[in-house]
């Protein structure tokens, strides 16, 4: 059996991953430090700045209060918030979010751009990288604004807001996956896989797997990255099989089928236990947030004057960080087991262990996968299982 990597390739992969492992170890501490700085020194100045900016914008844009369409929108926002002040709340949240983003910008540029280019993994131009970062900032700003208006606005007006918000939000989690095919196209252009033998073989494979799908599309990620990628997006009538243009170029049809078969294995995973657990966890998190908001109001933290004061937002981010940081090792362990099961499913579906092995080996070489990551990195949240483990589980070709 041919070796997975030459000594030179393995040395390069270890050198590539070393700063990634260091960043993974340090980043939680950095994030906690940033939140501590905000909570300890910046809540009040950020809030005063938000009040001043909101008052200035209210004076400068007063005509929107009387314009036909904008008047209705602003009145709706007033009702959602329950009283004046939603502008200050949104601006405060955006100031905090922007500060966190700016602190992390140097490390993001290093890990996402400099390091990737140094080891030949990225094809980003500076302009495209900057544009994609701006898209991310815009989406983050929209999500933050919706969080402020939805969570804080409802909490200020409804006693059991966490239950009123939690139940529909849990239901929306089930629907949100149907929008995946459309979210992916915000960053990369997609086109249908051209008719031909590969499309026909994928269609036949999915028929044997009993996996309905809408289309097979090619995502043009080579403008940013040299990595191989295949995934399923959406659910039911919106399910789309997405192959990036790199995998179409680098892998043989049999190897592509092995990758698609692995993704099909995830479709057959039992979904409801995880979905129910996620819904219960979401409602429990919202209840914990309610308790935290009440405690902050009672103690008057950060100058809060009432329940659901926007100045408590960094506390909510701290709580969320701790919950996700502590739960990630557990969820990653379940994820690794799902990946193992998807591998077994793909091998059974294709009956071609040689192609599956070649697919893993080529993906490892192109994507510069570390075959044996440190144990602490695996336990911290690494998924899928280490490559050496996945290869060892592939039976020898007959």
């Amino acid at each position: 059996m041919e070796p997975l990597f030459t000594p030179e390739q393995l040395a390069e992969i270890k050198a590539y991953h070393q700063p990634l492992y260091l960043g993974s170890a340090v980043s939680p501490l950095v994030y906690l430090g940033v939140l501590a700085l905000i909570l300890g020194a910046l809540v009040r100045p950020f809030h005063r700045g938000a009040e001043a900016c909101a008052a200035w914008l209210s004076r400068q844009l007063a005509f929107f209060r009387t314009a036909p369409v904008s008047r209705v929108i602003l009145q709706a926002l007033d009702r959602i918030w329950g009283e004046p002040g939603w502008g200050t709340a949104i601006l405060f949240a955006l100031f905090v979010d922007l500060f966190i983003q700016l602190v992390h910008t140097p490390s993001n540029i290093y890990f996402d751009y400099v390091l990737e280019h140094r080891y030949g993994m990225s094809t980003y131009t500076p302009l495209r990288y900057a544009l994609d970062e701006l898209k991310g900032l815009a989406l983050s700003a929209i999500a933050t604004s919706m969080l402020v208006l939805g969570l804080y606005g409802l909490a200020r007006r409804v006693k059991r807001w966490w239950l009123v918000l939690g139940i529909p939000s849990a239901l929306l989690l089930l629907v949100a996956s149907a929008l995946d095919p459309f979210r992916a196209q915000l960053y990369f252009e997609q086109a249908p896989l051209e008719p031909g033998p590969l499309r026909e073989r994928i269609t036949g494979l999915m028929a044997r797997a009993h996996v309905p799908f809408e289309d097979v599309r090619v995502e043009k990620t080579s403008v940013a990255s040299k990595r191989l990628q295949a995934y399923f997006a959406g659910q039911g009538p919106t399910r789309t099989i997405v192959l990036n243009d790199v995998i179409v170029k680098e892998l043989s049809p049999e190897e592509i089928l092995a990758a698609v078969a692995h993704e099909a294995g995830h479709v057959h995973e039992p979904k409801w236990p995880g979905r129910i657990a996620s819904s219960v966890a979401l409602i429990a998190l919202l209840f914990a947030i309610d308790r935290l908001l009440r405690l902050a109001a009672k103690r008057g933290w950060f100058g809060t004057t009432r329940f659901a004061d926007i100045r408590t937002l960094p506390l909510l981010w701290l709580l969320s960080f701790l919950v996700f940081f502590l739960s990630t090792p557990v969820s990653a362990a379940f994820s690794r087991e799902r990946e193992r099961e998807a591998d077994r499913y793909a091998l059974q579906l294709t009956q071609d262990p040689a192609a599956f092995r070649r697919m893993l080996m080529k993906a490892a070489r192109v994507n510069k996968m570390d075959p044996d990551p440190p144990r602490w990195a695996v336990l911290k949240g690494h998924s899928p299982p280490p490559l050496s483990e996945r290869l060892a589980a592939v039976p020898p070709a007959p």
Side-chain angles (χ1 to χ4, degrees):
M1 185 184 302
E2 64 174 314
L4 180 56
F5 300 112
T6 66
E8 294 78 14
Q9 289 172 329
L10 187 59
E12 182 184 38
I13 286 171
K14 293 296 183 181
Y16 167 63
H17 281 273
Q18 185 175 5
L20 295 174
Y21 293 141
L22 179 61
S24 176
V26 171
S27 60
L29 300 177
V30 173
Y31 190 76
L32 282 175
V34 172
L35 286 179
L37 175 62
I38 293 171
L39 290 168
L42 298 179
V43 167
R44 287 181 172 85
F46 279 171
H47 191 261
R48 288 195 297 268
E51 285 181 321
C53 286
W56 182 83
L57 288 172
S58 180
R59 292 192 299 270
Q60 298 299 316
L61 305 177
F63 62 90
F64 281 117
R65 283 286 177 183
T66 56
V69 176
S70 58
R71 179 183 61 191
V72 175
I73 296 174
L74 293 175
Q75 288 174 349
L77 291 173
D78 290 339
R79 285 195 293 271
I80 290 173
W81 194 249
E83 61 184 18
W86 56 265
T88 296
I90 290 177
L91 286 172
F92 173 81
L94 293 179
F95 287 170
V96 173
D97 186 47
L98 181 60
F99 178 78
I100 294 173
Q101 299 277 1
L102 288 175
V103 170
H104 285 87
T105 292
S107 63
N108 290 341
I109 292 174
Y110 173 75
F111 287 112
D112 299 339
Y113 188 86
V114 176
L115 187 67
E116 295 294 294
H117 276 81
R118 180 179 299 167
Y119 288 92
M121 298 302 295
S122 177
T123 56
Y124 259 128
T125 63
L127 178 60
R128 185 176 179 91
Y129 176 78
L131 290 175
D132 279 359
E133 287 296 298
L134 288 175
K135 286 180 187 177
L137 285 174
L139 291 174
S140 177
I142 292 171
T144 299
S145 301
M146 293 177 65
L147 170 69
V148 168
L149 290 171
L151 191 153
Y152 278 87
L154 189 64
R156 296 160 73 90
R157 295 182 293 109
V158 180
K159 184 176 181 180
R160 298 187 183 275
W161 67 271
W162 53 273
L163 198 58
V164 174
L165 180 62
I167 292 176
S169 296
L171 295 175
L172 284 174
L173 285 176
L174 308 180
V175 180
S177 60
L179 303 177
D180 287 344
F182 311 106
R183 285 199 295 261
Q185 296 177 51
L186 290 174
Y187 289 92
F188 299 110
E189 180 184 349
Q190 292 184 2
L193 177 66
E194 61 184 20
L198 180 58
R199 176 181 275 274
E200 292 171 2
R201 293 181 69 178
I202 290 174
T203 301
L205 184 72
M206 293 300 96
R208 296 203 306 274
H210 304 290
V211 175
F213 65 96
E214 180 190 25
D215 196 8
V216 184
R217 302 184 70 83
V218 177
E219 189 172 66
K220 299 179 181 179
T221 63
S222 60
V223 298
S225 173
K226 295 183 179 180
R227 283 182 169 80
L228 304 175
Q229 188 178 28
Y231 63 94
F232 283 17
Q235 297 288 332
T238 68
R239 181 178 292 121
T240 304
I241 300 171
V242 182
L243 310 172
N244 74 344
D245 53 349
V246 183
I247 200 173
V248 173
K249 177 183 177 182
E250 296 289 341
L251 299 193
S252 70
E254 291 76 16
E255 293 156 0
I256 293 174
L257 288 177
V260 172
H262 170 88
E263 297 303 321
H266 290 302
V267 176
H268 290 293
E269 293 169 355
K271 299 291 194 304
W272 285 109
R275 290 173 177 174
I276 293 172
S278 297
S279 300
V280 172
L282 174 62
I283 295 174
L285 176 61
L286 291 174
F287 178 74
I289 289 173
D290 178 79
R291 299 295 97 180
L292 186 61
L293 292 177
R294 295 187 185 281
L295 181 62
K298 181 179 179 181
R299 301 288 179 84
W301 291 343
F302 318 116
T304 55
T305 57
R306 58 160 295 168
F307 174 70
D309 191 301
I310 192 59
R311 283 169 281 193
T312 58
L313 181 63
L315 272 180
L316 271 56
W317 281 346
L318 176 60
L319 173 64
S320 299
F321 168 79
L322 293 174
V323 168
F324 286 109
F325 179 76
L326 294 175
S327 64
T328 293
V330 177
S331 62
F334 283 107
S335 177
R336 289 192 295 273
E337 183 54 40
R338 290 195 297 269
E339 293 294 333
R340 296 184 188 101
E341 184 59 36
D343 282 354
R344 291 190 286 267
Y345 179 89
L347 289 165
Q348 183 178 5
L349 179 64
T350 61
Q351 295 294 306
D352 192 350
F356 191 84
R357 177 181 292 276
R358 292 197 307 271
M359 180 271 293
L360 287 178
M361 293 176 70
K362 286 186 178 181
R365 290 166 183 160
V366 175
N367 293 357
K368 286 186 168 58
M369 297 180 185
D370 187 349
D372 291 297
R375 185 62 179 167
W376 68 264
V378 175
L379 295 176
K380 180 177 179 289
H382 191 280
S383 179
L387 179 65
S388 57
E389 177 186 327
R390 298 179 71 186
L391 286 170
V394 179

